[in-house]
Amino acid sequence: GWIFWRAMAWGRRRGDGKRQVILFILCFCVCQSGAETLRYSLAEEMERDSFVANIANDLGVAPSQLAARKARVVSEGNEQLFHLSQNTGVLTAKESLDREEICPQSDTCTLFFKIFLENPLQLIRGEVEVHDVNDNSPVFPDKQMVLEILETAPPGSRFPLESAQDKDVGSNGLQNYSLGSNPHFSLAVGIGKDEVKYAELVLEQELDREEKRELNLLLIATDGGSPPRSGTAQVRIVVLDANDNIPVFGRELYEVRLAENSPLEKLVVRVAAADPDEGSYGKVRYAFTQTSERSRQLFELNPATGEIRVSGNLDFEEAKTHKMVVKATDGGGLSAHCKVQVEVLDMNDNAPEIALTSLTASIPEDAPPRTVVALFSVRDRDSGDNGRTECTIDGDLPFSLTPTFDNYYELRTNTALDRERIAEYKITITAMDWGTTRLSSRENIFVQISDVNDNAPEFTQEVYTMSVMENNGPMFRIGSVNATDADVGRNARVNYALVRQEGKEPGVSVNSENGDVYLLRPLDYEEVRTFEVVVHATDGGSPPLSAQAVLRVLVQDENDNTPIVLHPPRESGKAAGELVPRWARAGYLVAKVVAVDADAGQNAWLSYELAKATEPGLFRVGLHSGEVHTARAVVERDAPRQSLVVLVRDRGQPPRSATATLSIALVDGFSEAHLRVSEEAPATEPDGPLTLYLIASLACVSVLFLATAVAAVVVKVRRARQSETETLPTFPKSATESNAGSLPRSYVYDVCFTAGTVNSEFRFLRPLFPCFPAGLPPGPGEQRSSVCSQEAVNLGEEGG
């Protein structure tokens, strides 16, 4: 990645397009084969936020590109030691670095990091070498060393001294030893196989215990720093009496292989040195010498038996070998040395560690398969098969793991996702090593599936049917429609609207938010009994999705119309007139009251009753038919003029009613004159527009009724012609032959069908049905009428 950016920057500076293309192809091939490593150095103990490098300049990119691609730095291990500024592209140290703490017992200290770039995903390796500074002085394990030397020791004898420890490395580490001026000893400095310098006292002049029993020397250890640092220790030499045998170890080197995490007090090895002397000169004691402080913490040496046991926690990952020097000293002060080398065997005692580097916490449900969700690394500090790992995903989830490089894995989607089915995934990643006893660790990753508008609203019903009483006021709520959307948030926010039809005004409105349906104006059942509108539901997505449902409104009838009497009709304020012969018996049909009601159901069920009559017992009215019959036979004492008031009532709540008035004349003869029985009624003012509406609505009913009446009359006339020879009375041939004596011979007889008024009469010219004088004198203010035959009356009733 770094080579790619540098090459592209060089190509831009050159301005050569063809060369830039060639460099791009070359860099692409190089990037595919392996990523370049950025290498930097930094001195330890630098202040916090110390400058390490300018990553933007080294990559040849602008800092804005680093910010756009969300560049970030990730250090290996659990502690993040560096910080990358996306604004400047400068890499800095988060804290002051102590090389001795980060890389103990190591000559070089290199910290590794990786720079991650997104869109597209790119990884750049980097390393920072922490340079040592001379911040530690050489330190001796003991401030005073005691050496017991025989006075018979020959010149040239060498006596090892405790080595000083310097945590610094290289030139800053331990470089030299020096000894204070004295006449008996000189100092020899040597380098061991492990490249560690050690010091030995060299006897230059024989000792004389009787002359001087003890010598005190100053041992100085100096490092190579600038300025140099030093450490001192006192060397106390005790001159012993002669001891001519020194201890002898059975082996110069003891090699032991020991498993890490061995229990405490476990025996590692037993060293033994023999001394043929007797007494105190033959008694040997053991001690560590030229052994590091860490080894002294991990191992314990029994000074009497020479047994070395485990006293600390051995960790293969910390140190693979431990080297120790054991000194055996007899009672006379003579000593011998042997080396003990412990090789720590790796055990599978470290579970894999999962480090999450990049995570996309939320992905859209329409993300294509193979979309990268997360990037993480797995590290096992063990070695061999114990450090070899594999990763799996628990359960059957639409995700998979793809190995990339350096134990990094990508978590990708396998198939298309559906938020409505599963809105969040808990992905458990298991990392397991290949050790004999396999260890594993788990990491839970939570991935939210963000919603896209892929579901249209759905109505709970295809057709909503709502009932409403007529005459309700405007903005009256009659119900609600409901549509649900399986999406969430704005995509699930449903708005309602009516689909406008050209030329039609809907009688209702719908609340755009909750779907409540309201009336816009009062409804009249007699004008409209049902109507339908289309409700449109749209969600808030982009683009929006929609659905439709049908809203059917049923108008329920209210008893708001009074019955209307069609027969007998009211004209000029006069009551309808009917003729009844005095020979009529009980059950004689006098007339039929016909009424209609514009309402429906039981609001239009009509009943008839006699409200008022001149002779209450003479007539009766059919409850449901409206037919007026004689309740008994007509007798002489009955008044010749009868007035009936018929009450027409519906069954609504509350009920409404109307009345029809009939004027009935009781006759016993026939006359040409027509019955004109009317009672002047006071003119009533019209009901206004309601009367006009009722007349218009009843026009069709009247036409059908009249057509039926005409058909009935025609049928009745045909039947009457067939039986006229049997029913006709014998008429006089001349006026002189008649007892009445008032009709001329050339009189042409009319059969009269009384329909109440002259304007509504039906006349049929029939010479076979003459009329006779009624023989009734006109009353005061009355008009003379003629009496028709019973059959004519009956025909008139059927026609009415």
Side-chain angles (χ1 to χ4, degrees):
W2 178 79
I3 296 178
F4 171 79
W5 293 111
R6 298 295 294 176
M8 291 302 296
W10 181 79
R12 286 195 297 270
R13 290 195 300 267
R14 297 286 297 174
D16 190 348
K18 188 175 298 183
R19 181 173 299 173
Q20 186 173 356
V21 172
I22 296 174
L23 285 173
F24 175 82
I25 296 174
L26 178 60
C27 292
F28 178 81
C29 297
V30 171
C31 291
Q32 294 298 319
S33 61
E36 182 69 13
T37 300
L38 303 176
R39 291 184 173 85
Y40 305 102
S41 61
L42 179 69
E44 68 170 334
E45 303 296 342
M46 296 292 289
E47 294 181 356
R48 181 179 179 179
D49 296 329
S50 297
F51 175 86
V52 178
N54 192 319
I55 300 297
N57 290 343
D58 294 342
L59 295 180
V61 297
S64 59
Q65 292 184 350
L66 296 179
R69 296 186 62 185
K70 300 180 180 179
R72 59 190 180 279
V73 63
V74 177
S75 301
E76 289 191 356
N78 298 326
E79 186 176 2
Q80 300 300 315
L81 302 176
F82 302 100
H83 172 71
L84 177 61
S85 173
Q86 294 184 353
N87 296 328
T88 62
V90 173
L91 182 69
T92 58
K94 281 189 172 182
E95 302 291 343
S96 177
L97 302 179
D98 186 356
R99 190 201 66 82
E100 288 76 23
E101 181 181 352
I102 298 174
C103 306
Q105 300 181 355
S106 177
D107 293 337
T108 60
C109 184
T110 303
L111 302 179
F112 299 93
F113 65 90
K114 294 180 177 63
I115 298 175
F116 291 89
L117 302 173
E118 297 181 2
N119 301 322
L121 181 64
Q122 186 179 1
L123 183 146
I124 301 173
R125 299 183 182 87
E127 60 184 45
V128 176
E129 183 178 0
V130 181
H131 289 168
D132 182 50
V133 297
N134 191 25
D135 58 341
N136 292 281
S137 299
V139 177
F140 288 93
D142 297 314
K143 289 296 183 180
Q144 184 179 42
M145 293 180 281
V146 179
L147 294 180
E148 296 179 346
I149 303 176
L150 286 172
E151 61 180 348
T152 58
S157 299
R158 291 175 175 264
F159 304 95
L161 299 174
E162 289 286 347
S163 298
Q165 304 291 328
D166 194 337
K167 293 182 179 180
D168 295 326
V169 295
S171 61
N172 294 326
L174 180 64
Q175 296 294 323
N176 196 16
Y177 291 93
S178 61
L179 188 66
S181 176
N182 69 93
H184 295 281
F185 294 94
S186 64
L187 189 66
V189 179
I191 300 176
K193 293 181 180 180
D194 53 359
E195 301 299 321
V196 176
K197 291 186 177 181
Y198 62 90
E200 294 180 334
L201 282 178
V202 179
L203 182 61
E204 299 291 341
Q205 183 181 344
E206 290 184 353
L207 300 174
D208 187 359
R209 182 176 181 276
E210 287 70 23
E211 181 181 347
K212 197 170 187 178
R213 303 182 61 177
E214 288 186 4
L215 297 175
N216 290 309
L217 306 177
L218 180 64
L219 180 62
I220 302 172
T222 307
D223 62 19
S226 179
R229 291 175 175 264
S230 62
T232 61
Q234 291 290 330
V235 179
R236 178 169 166 257
I237 298 175
V238 178
V239 182
L240 301 176
D241 284 341
N243 181 17
D244 56 351
N245 291 291
I246 64 174
V248 177
F249 283 98
R251 287 185 292 175
E252 292 185 2
L253 175 64
Y254 291 85
E255 293 181 331
V256 181
R257 303 182 70 186
L258 186 65
E260 66 174 334
N261 298 329
S262 294
L264 299 179
E265 301 297 329
K266 179 179 176 61
L267 179 64
V268 179
V269 69
R270 180 178 180 179
V271 297
D275 192 323
D277 294 328
E278 295 181 356
S280 62
Y281 293 126
K283 187 178 180 180
V284 179
R285 296 186 65 83
Y286 304 93
F288 284 128
T289 183
Q290 298 183 8
T291 301
S292 67
E293 182 180 355
R294 182 57 179 162
S295 296
R296 293 172 186 265
Q297 295 173 354
L298 296 177
F299 300 96
E300 180 182 11
L301 175 61
N302 189 315
T305 63
E307 293 179 348
I308 299 177
R309 295 182 180 272
V310 177
S311 61
N313 184 22
L314 296 178
D315 191 355
F316 174 84
E317 289 71 38
E318 179 183 347
K320 297 178 177 59
T321 59
H322 293 274
K323 295 179 181 180
M324 297 165 283
V325 177
V326 178
K327 180 177 71 172
T329 306
D330 61 15
L334 297 180
S335 62
H337 301 79
C338 72
K339 295 182 180 180
V340 177
Q341 181 172 312
V342 178
E343 181 182 355
V344 181
L345 301 179
D346 183 37
M347 302 296 292
N348 191 23
D349 59 341
N350 290 284
E353 299 174 358
I354 300 175
L356 193 62
T357 302
S358 175
L359 172 64
T360 304
S362 177
I363 59 175
E365 60 179 320
D366 60 349
R370 307 299 299 165
T371 298
V372 177
V373 178
L375 178 68
F376 63 93
S377 64
V378 178
R379 185 183 72 162
D380 194 317
R381 294 190 298 168
D382 295 322
S383 62
D385 286 343
N386 295 333
R388 181 183 174 189
T389 60
E390 64 179 5
C391 285
T392 58
I393 296 177
D394 295 353
D396 185 16
L397 299 178
F399 297 90
S400 63
L401 295 177
T402 303
T404 55
F405 48 83
D406 289 348
N407 291 327
Y408 275 85
Y409 294 84
E410 290 179 342
L411 177 64
R412 295 176 178 265
T413 60
N414 268 349
T415 59
L417 305 175
D418 187 2
R419 189 209 63 81
E420 287 69 39
R421 188 171 64 89
I422 299 178
E424 181 184 23
Y425 287 93
K426 177 184 177 182
I427 305 171
T428 301
I429 298 174
T430 301
M432 184 175 295
D433 61 26
W434 286 68
T436 304
T437 301
R438 306 189 70 176
L439 301 179
S440 63
S441 60
R442 286 179 171 82
E443 179 76 17
N444 292 325
I445 297 177
F446 294 89
V447 177
Q448 297 280 347
I449 308 301
S450 59
D451 185 51
V452 297
N453 192 28
D454 58 347
N455 290 279
E458 293 184 3
F459 281 96
T460 56
Q461 300 172 219
E462 293 183 359
V463 178
Y464 290 85
T465 302
M466 300 180 185
S467 299
V468 60
M469 295 295 294
E470 63 175 333
N471 301 324
N472 273 319
M475 300 312 294
F476 176 77
R477 183 181 180 276
I478 63 174
S480 66
V481 296
N482 184 34
T484 59
D485 196 308
D487 296 320
V488 294
R490 180 178 180 181
N491 296 331
R493 192 178 304 145
V494 179
N495 289 323
Y496 303 90
L498 294 179
V499 178
R500 298 285 180 175
Q501 298 181 1
E502 187 174 356
K504 293 184 179 180
E505 284 294 331
V508 296
S509 66
V510 61
N511 189 301
S512 62
E513 296 181 356
N514 56 25
D516 287 345
V517 181
Y518 297 88
L519 289 178
L520 290 178
R521 58 180 179 274
L523 300 177
D524 189 354
Y525 174 83
E526 288 71 37
E527 291 183 5
V528 56
R529 298 190 177 187
T530 181
F531 62 90
E532 292 182 353
V533 293
V534 177
V535 181
H536 189 77
T538 306
D539 61 24
S542 179
L545 302 178
S546 62
Q548 291 185 346
V550 175
L551 172 61
R552 179 178 297 132
V553 180
L554 303 178
V555 183
Q556 294 182 349
D557 184 46
E558 187 179 56
N559 193 25
D560 57 344
N561 290 282
T562 302
I564 298 176
V565 178
L566 300 179
H567 182 78
R570 290 185 177 181
E571 292 187 7
S572 303
K574 297 180 181 180
E578 303 292 345
L579 300 179
V580 177
R582 285 190 173 273
W583 45 261
R585 299 182 180 277
Y588 180 81
L589 178 61
V590 177
K592 182 174 183 177
V593 178
V594 179
V596 295
D597 194 314
D599 294 321
Q602 76 174 24
N603 293 332
W605 295 354
L606 304 179
S607 63
Y608 304 83
E609 59 182 89
L610 190 60
K612 182 178 180 182
T614 304
E615 291 288 343
L618 181 55
F619 301 97
R620 60 181 172 83
V621 179
L623 180 62
H624 301 294
S625 64
E627 294 179 347
V628 180
H629 293 267
T630 56
R632 59 176 174 80
V634 179
V635 296
E636 288 295 334
R637 68 174 180 273
D638 292 331
R641 297 183 58 81
Q642 298 287 330
S643 178
L644 302 180
V645 178
V646 179
L647 178 66
V648 183
R649 178 180 298 162
D650 61 24
R651 294 190 182 181
Q653 291 296 330
R656 293 177 176 267
S657 61
T659 58
T661 303
L662 296 175
S663 293
I664 301 174
L666 303 180
V667 297
D668 53 2
F670 296 89
S671 168
E672 181 185 5
H674 298 288
L675 178 64
R676 297 183 179 274
V677 181
S678 63
E679 294 182 355
E680 296 294 333
T684 58
E685 294 184 0
D687 293 337
L690 179 61
T691 303
L692 296 178
Y693 297 155
L694 293 176
I695 292 174
S697 64
L698 296 177
C700 294
V701 178
S702 300
V703 171
L704 293 176
F705 176 79
L706 293 176
T708 304
V710 171
V713 169
V714 171
V715 173
K716 192 69 175 179
V717 168
R718 290 181 179 177
R719 292 178 181 175
R721 287 181 179 177
Q722 294 175 1
S723 59
E724 63 184 0
T725 56
E726 299 177 356
T727 58
L728 288 176
T730 303
F731 294 99
K733 295 181 179 179
S734 64
T736 57
E737 298 175 359
S738 174
N739 292 331
S742 62
L743 296 176
R745 186 175 183 83
S746 59
Y747 186 84
V748 178
Y749 304 99
D750 288 340
V751 177
C752 303
F753 178 95
T754 61
T757 64
V758 177
N759 295 333
S760 61
E761 293 178 359
F762 292 88
R763 295 184 180 182
F764 301 90
L765 185 61
R766 297 184 59 187
L768 296 179
F769 293 90
C771 293
F772 295 94
L776 296 174
E782 293 182 355
Q783 192 176 14
R784 179 171 296 277
S785 303
S786 63
V787 180
C788 298
S789 66
Q790 181 64 42
E791 183 175 353
V793 173
N794 291 340
L795 288 173
E797 291 296 328
E798 293 175 2

